[in-house]
């Protein structure tokens, strides 16, 4: 088991280096000069030159990359070109927000998607099945930005039940925090719930036709025990992997949803940084995102092995 | 025991009542400000925060006339090279240190010497600053510069605690300590900036909110939804498309004021090979293009008729507008005649850079359609802002649809754009006569003489047209119903003195 984990970690390191090079070069290939934007409307030549020197823009690209990588390895992700705030501070400030949103969305998606998938599989071909499929399809097809704006208009503007946007930390005001994140969590969770429902349904259908389920039924076990204990536990394996990947995507930033609900998380930070050509922030965010993605995938693999005894035997 | 419990309960209820009365004002901003160090700021939006946080030497009134704030009086020397300011007494910074001539000198010196300072160019004419009394500041200039007062009514005149600034160095913007009616509490980047009332402010009674919360919300629809839901009290720069919705909502109030900047087409007349086509080389072609555009219809189609059509850097109605050149009506026949006179091959093929926002692209399409009837074939290239700027600087454009947010002193709205040495003269327009007039206007203290000098430049520019001015935006402010005492200012900055409700 340790060897398995170690080998996966070793694979992750070159992946991270490649990601860093890719991100750095991609920024350089983009047209437009961020320094001109940073210099402000008046574009004083002395300011422009000062900014170029300060951000090593006059150095060769390779040197710029090495400067950046050297700082990163020392734990310094640089400073935001726009606000001058340290990128690591910004990330530490935003990460818990997105984490909270991701956990809530995932909770909502699992709460809706998995039971709906199980019911649809068990009651295959009935009204329940069609209903669950219909709901899942709508969840998948409705764009987040549209659903978000509709919810704001209905729930906040017309009914006045929840704040239209903004965010409060649960450490400051837990109730307000729940109020500000519940709508974005639902918006984010709907699409995932749809995907989870479809996958749960097909996994359950596959398992329900397996020999051991027939054997369990033949032994005279109740349908509830057959479905939940025998079928569902085995159908859970691909769902765990899928959920982990989706959680990783949520952490990478729910770009549109955070933008619409003005949630100061990762996604909003990425959009703002790209829009302002804030290189330091974009690079820092992508690096942290890639790292967390790789770690989550690693954890999912380990969890998969732990849940599946047959996999353990092959290691 | 019972008595102490009762006292505790009483105290708790009193403090709760206090909390209930604490009044927050939530202001929705178009974008997140940059650094909150007055020496480093570059963005317009930071001015909205500074107005509550950092007092300035001078301010402007609702008519954009310079008025005293921390400087109570001023006088120029005969030769125009010395400016003496009398400073307000009894003002303290948020850290308790006094504001006086000595502290102001240190602020000037920091603004002029800090490596990352963006105030150097604005204070470029300043030779030295000295405290000639406890509350008297004398500024010596390298050469006469009447625009300095306007700079001191902007970022360069914002006063802050030099002790706190020296201690924080370049990180001062993370915890700014100034002398305004509200002091800094916290900032969560992209989320909110919180200020709280400064009890020792010299005019504290005129400010009626306990806390000001700035929330940057870039999406106009979301910003509007927030004020409609009661989650914001004031929204700055409401989009014209949202104006009808605000007007029809009884829970909201709408205020509007024409901005002091301009929007127009900058034409490459001398920046590299792309200036050598018929448009860049021949003023007649530029005049034809200007006449081909129906500014009224353009305003109607793109901005629901809510902006102000224009043909000069100053808006019609402004004190600096030259009435001798009114906004021209569309004249396609005259445009065609001018093209014939210029002897150019038709259609005149040109490319126009625009921003990539839906409004900018729509504006480009309307101009494209109008100009085609006069004999122009305009292709559009929509780019994001960073690309547009660098293409402009590199001379990789025929013409560029862009604008300027405006400054209170006219010099800043014209000099950088058409003076040969202007920092924003991307079109590389060079005319010694214009240079001489603008330099003279910069030194001229008499407003009437200055106006005449600017009128002379307008006459030349109307012929040369390195920039075809099209319109002036209006600033729309949306306020929650019940807020009283608000007045919109043409510089777009929200003043909270006397605002309540």
């Amino acid at each position: 088991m340790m060897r398995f984990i170690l080998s996966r970690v070793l694979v992750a390191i070159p992946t991270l280096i490649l990601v860093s090079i890719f991100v750095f070069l991609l920024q350089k290939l983009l047209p437009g000069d961020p320094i001109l934007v940073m210099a402000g409307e008046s574009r004083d030549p002395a300011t422009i030159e000062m900014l170029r020197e300060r951000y090593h823009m006059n150095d060769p690209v390779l040197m710029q990359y090495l400067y950046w990588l050297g700082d990163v390895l020392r734990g310094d992700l640089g400073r935001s070109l726009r606000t001058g705030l340290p990128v690591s501070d910004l990330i530490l400030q935003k990460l818990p927000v997105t984490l909270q949103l991701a956990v809530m969305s995932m909770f909502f998606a699992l709460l809706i998607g998995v039971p709906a998938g199980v019911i649809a599989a068990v009651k295959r071909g009935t009204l329940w099945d069609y209903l669950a499929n219909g709901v899942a399809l709508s969840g998948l097809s409705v764009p987040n930005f549209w659903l978000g704006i509709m919810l704001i208009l209905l729930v906040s503007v017309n009914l006045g039940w929840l704040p239209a946007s903004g965010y409060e930390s649960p450490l400051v005001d837990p109730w307000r925090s729940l109020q500000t994140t519940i709508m974005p969590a639902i918006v984010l969770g709907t699409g995932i719930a749809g995907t989870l429902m479809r996958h749960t349904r097909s996994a359950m259908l596959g398992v329900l036709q397996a020999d051991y389920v027939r054997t369990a039924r033949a032994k005279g076990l109740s349908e509830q025990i057959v479905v939940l204990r025998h079928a569902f536990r085995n159908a859970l394996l691909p769902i765990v992997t899928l959920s982990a990947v989706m959680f990783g995507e949520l952490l990478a930033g729910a770009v549109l949803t955070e933008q619409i609900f003005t949630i100061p998380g990762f996604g909003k930070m990425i959009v703002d940084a790209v829009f302002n050509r804030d290189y330091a922030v974009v690079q820092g965010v992508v690096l942290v995102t890639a790292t967390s993605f790789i770690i989550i995938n690693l954890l999912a693999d380990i969890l998969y092995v732990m849940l599946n005894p047959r996999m353990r035997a092959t290691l | 025991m019972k008595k102490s419990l009762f006292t505790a309960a009483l105290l708790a209820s009193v403090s709760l009542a206090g909390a209930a009365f604490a009044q927050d004002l939530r202001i929705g901003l178009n974008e997140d400000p940059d650094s909150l160090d007055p020496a480093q700021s570059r963005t317009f939006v930071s001015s909205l925060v500074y107005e509550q946080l950092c007092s300035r030497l001078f301010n402007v009134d609702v008519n954009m006339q310079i008025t005293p704030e921390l400087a109570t009086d001023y006088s120029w020397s005969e030769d125009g090279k010395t400016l003496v300011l009398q400073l307000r007494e009894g003002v303290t910074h948020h850290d308790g240190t006094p504001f006086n001539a000595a502290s102001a000198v240190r602020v000037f010196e920091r603004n002029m010497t800090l490596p990352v300072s963006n105030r150097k160019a604005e204070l470029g004419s300043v030779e030295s600053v000295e405290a000639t009394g406890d509350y008297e500041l004398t500024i010596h200039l390298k050469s006469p510069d009447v625009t300095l007062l306007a700079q001191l009514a902007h970022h360069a005149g914002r006063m802050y605690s030099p002790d706190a600034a020296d201690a924080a160095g370049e990180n001062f913007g993370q915890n700014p300590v100034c002398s305004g009616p509200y002091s800094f509490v916290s900032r969560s980047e992209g989320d909110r900036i919180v200020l709280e009332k400064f009890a020792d402010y010299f005019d504290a009674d005129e400010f009626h909110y306990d806390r000001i919360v700035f929330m940057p919300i870039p999406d106009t629809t979301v910003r509007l939804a927030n004020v409609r839901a009661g989650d914001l009290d004031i929204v700055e720069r409401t989009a014209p498309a949202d104006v009808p919705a605000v007007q029809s909502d009884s829970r909201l109030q709408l205020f509007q004021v024409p901005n002091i900047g301009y929007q127009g087409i900058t034409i490459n007349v001398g920046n590299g090979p792309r200036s050598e086509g018929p448009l860049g080389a021949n003023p007649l072609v530029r005049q034809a293009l200007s006449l081909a555009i129906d500014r009224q219809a353009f305003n109607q189609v793109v901005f629901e008729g809510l902006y102000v059509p224009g043909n000069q850097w100053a808006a019609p109605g402004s004190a600096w507008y030259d009435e001798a050149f009114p906004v021209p009506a569309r004249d396609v026949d005259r445009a065609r005649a001018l093209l014939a006179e210029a002897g150019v091959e038709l259609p005149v093929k040109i490319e126009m850079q625009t921003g990539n926002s839906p409004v900018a692209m729509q504006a480009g399409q309307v101009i494209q359609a109008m100009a085609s009837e006069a004999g122009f074939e305009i292709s559009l290239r929509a780019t994001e802002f960073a690309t547009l700027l660098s293409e402009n600087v590199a001379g990789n454009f025929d013409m560029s649809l862009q604008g300027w947010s405006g400054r209170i002193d006219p010099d800043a709205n014209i000099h950088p754009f058409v003076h040969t040495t202007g920092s924003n003269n991307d079109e590389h327009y060079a005319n010694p006569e214009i240079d001489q007039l603008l330099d003279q206007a910069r030194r001229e203290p008499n407003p009437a003489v200055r106006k005449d000098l600017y009128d002379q430049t307008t006459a030349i520019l109307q012929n040369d047209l390195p920039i075809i001015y099209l319109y002036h935006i209006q600033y729309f402010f949306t306020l929650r119903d019940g807020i009283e005492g608000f007045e919109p200012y043409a510089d777009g900055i929200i003043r909270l003195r006397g605002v309540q409700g």
Side-chain angles (χ1 to χ4, degrees):
Chain A
M1 189 73 179
M2 271 314 285
R3 253 185 59 198
F4 168 73
I5 295 173
L6 209 66
S7 68
R8 292 303 315 266
V9 171
L10 282 176
V11 172
I13 293 170
T15 315
L16 272 173
I17 294 174
L18 280 175
V19 164
S20 74
I21 295 174
F22 179 71
V23 168
F24 192 84
L25 290 182
L26 200 66
Q27 293 261 1
K28 292 289 156 197
L29 288 174
L30 290 174
D33 186 348
I35 296 293
L36 288 176
V37 180
M38 287 173 63
E41 267 193 328
S42 305
R43 290 174 20 218
D44 161 43
T47 306
I48 290 174
E49 193 44 39
M50 182 274 293
L51 289 171
R52 282 201 200 289
E53 282 295 319
R54 190 177 179 82
Y55 295 106
H56 307 295
M57 292 294 185
N58 291 332
D59 294 326
V61 174
L62 180 66
M63 284 306 291
Q64 292 181 32
Y65 174 71
L66 292 178
Y67 271 124
W68 173 67
L69 195 66
D71 287 343
V72 168
L73 291 176
R74 282 194 296 273
D76 177 8
L77 291 173
R79 280 168 181 276
S80 158
L81 273 59
R82 184 172 162 83
T83 58
L85 302 170
V87 174
S88 45
D89 284 8
L90 288 176
I91 289 172
L92 286 176
Q93 209 178 56
K94 310 295 177 193
L95 198 60
V97 179
T98 298
L99 196 64
Q100 182 190 350
L101 197 60
V103 168
M104 284 177 66
S105 312
M106 216 52 222
F107 179 74
F108 173 77
L110 287 168
L111 197 73
I112 306 287
V114 174
V118 172
I119 293 169
V122 173
K123 311 238 178 222
R124 186 186 179 184
T126 66
L127 184 67
W128 287 104
D129 189 13
Y130 293 126
L131 193 71
N133 266 307
V135 171
L137 257 179
S138 328
L140 282 170
S141 0
V142 171
N144 279 1
F145 70 89
W146 186 84
L147 186 61
I149 288 177
M150 287 302 123
L151 274 180
I152 290 176
L153 288 178
L154 179 72
V155 180
S156 306
V157 177
N158 289 330
L159 300 171
W161 289 348
L162 290 170
S165 62
Y167 171 77
E168 191 58 78
S169 161
L171 301 174
V172 176
D173 185 345
W175 176 236
R176 176 87 185 163
S177 182
L178 187 70
Q179 285 182 317
T180 51
T181 44
I182 196 151
M183 277 203 293
I186 289 173
V187 168
L188 274 175
T190 7
I192 300 172
T195 314
L196 279 179
M197 182 268 153
R198 310 269 299 175
H199 279 81
T200 310
R201 182 179 178 274
S202 59
M204 280 297 285
L205 282 178
V207 173
L208 282 172
Q209 281 156 16
D211 289 344
Y212 65 87
V213 172
R214 202 176 312 134
T215 312
R217 283 203 177 110
K219 282 199 295 189
L221 293 175
S222 75
E223 189 62 18
Q224 202 178 348
I225 289 175
V226 170
V227 169
L228 291 181
R229 197 173 292 167
H230 292 262
F232 181 62
R233 249 180 100 174
N234 286 297
L236 206 61
L237 281 170
I239 298 166
V240 168
T241 321
L242 182 73
S243 304
V245 172
M246 293 192 137
F247 190 71
E249 282 175 9
L250 281 174
L251 276 187
V255 174
L256 277 173
T257 309
E258 286 187 4
Q259 202 71 14
I260 288 165
F261 288 96
T262 331
I263 300 284
F266 245 52
K268 188 169 183 307
M269 180 161 70
I270 295 170
V271 173
D272 292 346
V274 169
F275 192 73
N276 293 316
R277 288 299 182 92
D278 203 335
Y279 280 167
V281 176
V282 175
Q283 284 163 344
V285 167
V286 173
L287 201 69
V288 171
T289 309
T291 313
S292 48
F293 225 103
I294 288 165
I295 291 171
I296 287 168
N297 270 309
L298 188 69
L299 290 176
D301 283 351
I302 295 167
L303 200 65
Y304 194 84
V305 170
M306 282 166 70
L307 281 173
N308 192 342
R310 275 175 300 180
M311 285 289 291
R312 239 178 295 168
T314 59
L315 290 178
Chain B
M1 182 68 188
K2 266 184 181 172
K3 198 177 173 187
S4 64
L5 259 179
F6 175 75
T7 316
L10 192 70
L11 278 175
S13 64
V14 167
S15 66
L16 274 177
F21 283 123
Q23 237 190 327
D24 285 4
L25 184 78
R26 294 150 303 174
I27 301 177
L29 302 176
N30 234 2
E31 63 256 342
D32 200 24
D34 58 343
S35 166
L36 288 181
D37 177 351
Q40 296 186 51
S41 284
R42 302 174 294 261
T43 55
F44 159 75
V45 72
S46 60
S47 311
L48 280 100
V49 179
Y50 284 138
E51 190 58 24
Q52 326 310 333
L53 184 66
C54 305
S55 295
R56 32 183 166 169
L57 291 171
F58 295 97
N59 206 323
V60 286
D61 64 15
V62 78
N63 300 314
M64 293 293 102
Q65 297 302 309
I66 291 178
T67 54
E69 192 164 298
L70 288 179
T72 52
D73 201 4
Y74 69 93
S75 59
W76 285 103
S77 65
E78 277 292 313
D79 63 358
K81 286 176 72 176
T82 307
L83 174 66
V84 179
L85 304 180
Q86 304 304 322
L87 303 182
R88 186 179 291 277
E89 296 182 25
V91 175
T92 49
H93 299 115
H94 299 148
D95 59 357
T97 57
F99 164 76
N100 50 34
S103 75
V105 168
R106 288 172 64 193
V107 170
F108 268 89
E109 281 169 357
R110 181 174 182 268
N111 283 348
M112 295 195 296
T113 57
L114 189 76
V116 289
S117 169
N118 279 307
R119 305 284 79 83
K120 289 176 192 160
E122 294 158 22
L123 299 171
S125 60
V126 177
E127 175 81 52
S128 64
V129 185
E130 60 173 325
T132 41
D134 286 351
Y135 292 96
E136 186 181 270
L137 193 69
T138 301
I139 302 173
H140 301 285
L141 304 187
K142 296 169 192 162
S143 56
D145 177 13
V146 294
T147 71
L148 184 64
L149 281 188
Q151 301 294 8
L152 301 182
H154 197 54
H155 286 332
R158 301 220 177 258
M159 293 291 116
Y160 46 85
S161 161
D163 287 352
D166 287 348
E170 290 183 11
N171 295 330
F172 182 57
Q174 291 175 35
N175 190 12
V177 180
C178 296
S179 54
Y182 292 89
S183 62
F184 181 80
V185 176
S186 65
R187 173 179 195 176
S188 162
E189 195 258 350
D191 177 28
R192 74 186 76 173
I193 295 168
V194 181
L195 312 180
E196 71 181 3
K197 189 165 174 178
F198 179 50
D200 291 336
Y201 183 64
F202 66 88
D203 202 9
D205 292 348
E206 285 295 314
F207 292 83
H208 301 288
Y209 294 95
D210 297 314
R211 291 201 323 162
I212 309 293
V213 183
F214 292 97
M215 304 176 80
I217 304 179
D219 189 291
T220 57
T221 315
V222 176
R223 219 163 44 239
L224 180 65
N226 270 274
V227 70
R228 291 174 75 183
D231 291 327
L232 286 176
D233 300 305
I234 299 180
V235 164
E236 58 114 7
R237 283 181 283 170
T238 299
D242 291 335
V243 165
V246 176
Q247 283 171 326
S248 64
D249 193 329
S250 61
R251 295 167 295 182
L252 303 176
Q253 313 176 60
L254 182 78
F255 291 86
Q256 69 187 75
V257 63
N259 163 240
I260 46 179
Y262 70 80
Q263 306 287 315
I265 307 172
T266 300
I267 295 169
N268 186 350
V269 292
N271 191 355
R274 288 190 70 170
S275 66
E276 288 157 15
L279 183 77
N282 195 336
L284 293 178
V285 180
R286 300 196 286 275
Q287 290 166 20
L289 179 62
S290 177
L291 283 171
I293 300 167
D294 186 334
R295 289 165 168 81
Q296 292 290 352
F298 174 80
N299 178 36
Q300 206 61 46
V301 172
V302 188
F303 305 112
E304 317 214 357
L306 293 166
Y307 284 171
V308 180
N311 65 326
Q312 300 172 26
W313 52 268
S318 146
W320 298 102
Y321 187 76
D322 186 356
E323 303 287 350
F325 298 96
V327 179
R330 188 184 194 216
D331 190 341
V332 179
D333 292 338
R334 175 93 185 105
R336 284 208 193 96
L338 282 169
L339 287 180
E341 193 185 330
V344 293
E345 188 187 332
L346 294 183
V348 180
K349 291 185 179 174
I350 32 181
E351 185 189 71
M352 181 161 72
Q353 274 204 106
T354 70
N356 59 358
S357 73
V359 170
M361 290 194 281
Q362 194 191 357
Q365 286 158 5
V366 174
I367 292 167
Q368 183 185 43
M370 288 174 172
S372 71
E373 289 175 34
F376 291 93
E377 189 180 312
I378 298 178
S379 57
L380 298 172
R381 179 159 58 118
T383 65
E384 46 76 44
F385 191 53
T387 309
L388 185 123
L389 278 183
S390 52
E391 294 289 72
N392 278 359
V393 172
N396 192 21
F397 73 110
D398 298 334
M399 55 184 196
S400 197
L401 187 64
Q402 59 192 61
W404 173 246
S405 72
R407 298 282 185 275
I408 49 171
D409 191 274
D411 176 81
N413 301 327
I414 181 73
H415 193 287
F417 300 92
V418 295
H419 192 282
T420 311
T421 62
S423 58
N424 292 35
N425 184 354
D426 296 332
E427 73 276 15
H428 288 200
Y429 173 68
N431 184 335
E433 208 181 339
I434 289 280
D435 292 353
Q436 189 259 324
L437 286 166
L438 291 178
D439 288 340
Q440 202 183 332
R442 190 174 259 194
R443 292 190 299 267
E444 178 54 58
N446 184 334
V449 180
R450 272 188 107 188
K451 169 78 166 70
D452 180 56
L453 291 166
Y454 287 125
D455 284 354
Q456 290 181 51
T457 65
T458 300
I460 299 168
L461 292 173
Q462 289 291 314
N463 182 67
D464 288 0
L465 288 179
I467 299 171
I468 297 178
Y469 299 98
L470 292 177
Y471 64 96
H472 305 270
I473 66 169
Q474 296 239 43
Y475 281 137
F476 295 102
F477 300 88
T478 303
L479 272 70
R480 180 176 52 72
D481 189 36
I483 296 181
E484 290 167 6
F486 177 83
E487 261 191 298
Y489 280 62
D491 60 7
I493 296 174
I494 295 168
R495 271 84 174 172
L496 292 179
R497 179 177 271 104
V499 174
Q500 55 187 315

